[in-house]
Each structure stands twice: as structure tokens, then as C-alpha cells.
Amino acid sequence: MEDRKMDLYGVGPKIFKPTIIFGVAALVISLIFPRIFLMTFLPSAVFNILGGILLGLGLAFLFISGTAMKKAVAEERLEKSGTFAIVRNPLYFAWISFIFPGSAIASQAWLLFGMSFVAYYKFLQYIPEEEARLEEVFGKEYMDYKKEVPAIVPNMKELL
């Protein structure tokens, strides 16, 4: 009998470690050279509001997805409903699309937008490893799910 036990974090640490290192370096550079690397073309309040909206959306998406995933892992089943019905990796999607850009906007440090690019690059590099494990554990069920739901760009037809 195959081992159906799943790791709650998957390849997340491999994706986020270099992303956070980049983010810290970008933030330090932005603080050392604010005239070059800080966005000042709008009032700070505008950046705070826009960044806050993105952060709020991202954190809500992260919470909803994380709660569903934690429950599915505990029950040793494949989660395919809710946010997982529109994108296979909603937690990575939340970070890449909302949280990292929201942080860049709220802090006014445009270099922080690079965190999304680093995370997406690392996602593409490491997600095959996570998907291979999911195929091992869930077999045809995961293969069918993989055919129906995109990896990181949400399935817009499911939202309409």
C-alpha cells in the first residue's frame, strides 16, 4: 500500500527562501538609496491603500486556501474545491499575485516587485517535484485534476 501522507509545506521552503533573501536585499537597497528605489510619484496614503487592498486580498486567499489544504492533508485527501477549483496552487498564487506586489506597493519600494518574479521562477523550477509526489499519492485522481485546473494562473471561466 502506498504512503498517502503528504507534507503540509511541499516545495514552499525551496521557493520562498531565495525569494525572502531577494526581498530583504531589495528592501535594504531601497532604504539606503531611497531617491532611486522608492516610489514617490503619488502620496504615501495612495500607496498604503492600494498595497493594503492587495495584501488583504492575498491574506484572505491565503487563509481560505491554507485552511482547506490543512484539513485535506489531515484527512489524507486531495482538495479540489473552493480556491483549489480555480487554481491548483492557490497559496503560491496568493503570494506571487497579491502579497508580494501588495508589499511592494505599501512600502513604496519598487524593487520588491522582483519578489514575485523570483517566486514565480522558483515555482516553475520546483513545482514538478511537488506534482510528482501528488501523482504518487493520489494517482489518476490528481492526473485528472491536473488536466482540468491550471497550475498558477486561475481558471477564469470558473469565476464567471
Side-chain angles (χ1 to χ4, degrees):
M1 185 171 152
E2 65 187 63
D3 177 23
R4 288 182 59 97
K5 197 74 173 157
M6 286 300 302
D7 176 15
L8 187 60
Y9 299 105
V11 295
K14 292 180 180 180
I15 294 171
F16 291 116
K17 184 178 178 183
T19 304
I20 298 304
I21 290 169
F22 173 88
V24 169
L27 189 57
V28 168
I29 290 168
S30 297
L31 293 173
I32 292 171
F33 303 105
R35 295 187 73 186
I36 300 170
F37 296 109
L38 291 183
M39 298 181 284
T40 58
F41 53 87
L42 294 172
S44 292
V46 173
F47 288 108
N48 291 336
I49 291 167
L50 294 175
I53 290 169
L54 283 177
L55 285 167
L57 289 171
L59 291 172
F61 208 83
L62 197 64
F63 178 77
I64 291 165
S65 304
T67 302
M69 186 184 75
K70 189 174 180 181
K71 185 177 179 190
V73 168
E75 295 172 1
E76 297 181 0
R77 66 175 171 78
L78 180 64
E79 179 61 65
K80 300 184 293 186
S81 63
T83 57
F84 289 85
I86 58 171
V87 63
R88 286 195 314 266
N89 300 283
L91 288 102
Y92 299 135
F93 169 74
W95 283 100
I96 293 168
S97 301
F98 295 111
I99 296 172
F100 292 144
S103 297
I105 293 169
S107 68
Q108 296 179 238
W110 64 265
L111 279 179
L112 290 183
F113 284 112
M115 291 177 73
S116 287
F117 295 103
V118 171
Y120 183 67
Y121 173 78
K122 290 298 183 180
F123 170 85
L124 293 176
Q125 183 179 9
Y126 289 113
I127 203 63
E129 181 182 321
E130 189 169 297
E131 290 188 332
R133 177 69 179 132
L134 289 164
E135 286 176 22
E136 266 179 45
V137 173
F138 297 107
K140 185 175 177 351
E141 182 184 12
Y142 184 75
M143 302 282 274
D144 292 342
Y145 173 63
K146 192 174 172 181
K147 288 178 189 171
E148 295 172 17
V149 180
I152 195 76
V153 178
N155 189 347
M156 298 310 285
K157 68 181 177 191
E158 290 295 324
L159 295 174
L160 303 175

